[in-house]
Amino acid sequence: MLSTTFLGVKLKNPVIAASGTYGYGREYESLFPLETLGGISVKGTTLMPRSGNKPPRIAETASGMLNSVGLQNPGVDAFIANELPYLKTKDIAVIANISGNSPEEFAELARKLDIDGVDILELNISCPNIREGGKSFGADPVTAAAVTRAVKAASKKPVMVKLTPNVTSISEIAKAVEAAGADALSLINTLTAMRIDIRTKRPILANNTGGLSGPAIFPVAVRMVYEASGAVKIPVCGMGGIATAEDAVEMMMAGAACVQVGAAIFRDAYAPKKIIDGLEKYCLDNGNISEIVGAVKLNERDNEW
Ligand SMILES: Cc1cc2nc3c(=O)[nH]c(=O)nc-3n(C[C@H](O)[C@H](O)[C@H](O)COP(=O)(O)O)c2cc1C
């Protein structure tokens, strides 16, 4: 009852570990089998290895966390040589999450990953566009579309574009990447945020700002998934603060065909498994999981603007 097909890829359940929160799967294998999950979106991969930002790069917040890890990863060649062979032995959807500093870099990553074992490409367009003074690709419909087009031309894999919530109109960006050929959307990435140590007057993160994730962002994510999925015809993978099966159901009712779980894993490494078990129970009472996708019934509003 939990199985579903997303972008032509069979998922045994709609729960995917979010990029940057589950490594390459191996790290958690001693707790429960990786194959319990519907899929894994691997740590954000770049052309060259990156050591990430200076510490401190994690800060606690009410009901969430800030991170400025900065895409620490061994680079795409090491991913292909050392991590992908392991993932290929698992009956699980493998989503390669990629980041670049130009559309050409995204395209080169996509070409390298147009290989057996990668099921879906997820484009992290929250990263900075060096040609535009570091503004993120995902904050502008034109640059978001340019990255999408470059990757579509370079790869035959299904392309899921991961949107940043740090925009005024998520629908505008969603429509732009759909028109550029995206096969699906995933959202939301982290919300840019900041904390200050009042004793030192310095930001807690060495990078000054970071990305907020966890339950604190859940209602924002539900609203954005609702708006984005309503604006496009392509499917949406929803994430942002999901910590329980009820959260996953809510996100799917907002319009998500599948969900990703991120920060909740740092609080409880069994969270994805508990969510899958909870969804199974939910389905016993309510039928097939696909039926709840977009099932929200809006209220009549008194004051339309
Ligand atoms: C420590 C950490 C590292 C992350 N690394 C990545 C990454 O490499 N690529 C990416 O697209 N998103 C990354 N994210 C964002 C998550 O995949 C997810 O979009 C976000 O945290 C919201 O979901 P959550 O509240 O369930 O964590 C990272 C998040 C965290 C907390």
Side-chain angles (χ1 to χ4, degrees), residues 184-206:
L185 306 175
S186 58
L187 68 152
I188 59 175
N189 210 316
T190 55
L191 280 152
T192 304
M194 184 179 191
R195 302 253 1 238
I196 298 168
D197 181 335
I198 61 167
R199 288 160 305 164
T200 61
K201 302 193 176 99
R202 289 189 180 278
I204 294 175
L205 297 175

Side-chain angles (χ1 to χ4, degrees), residues 99-106 124-147:
S99 284
N101 284 318
S102 65
E104 295 75 23
E105 250 188 61
F106 272 98
N124 174 7
I125 58 169
S126 298
C127 45
N129 177 355
I130 39 173
R131 275 181 223 147
E132 304 266 340
K135 187 177 169 194
S136 99
F137 290 99
D140 180 331
V142 174
T143 49
V147 170

Side-chain angles (χ1 to χ4, degrees), residues 18-20 43-44 67 71 97 124 162 188-189 213-214 239-241 262-263:
S19 178
K43 175 64 196 167
N67 95 85
L71 294 175
N97 179 287
N124 174 7
K162 182 165 176 180
I188 59 175
N189 210 316
S213 58
M239 80 195 91

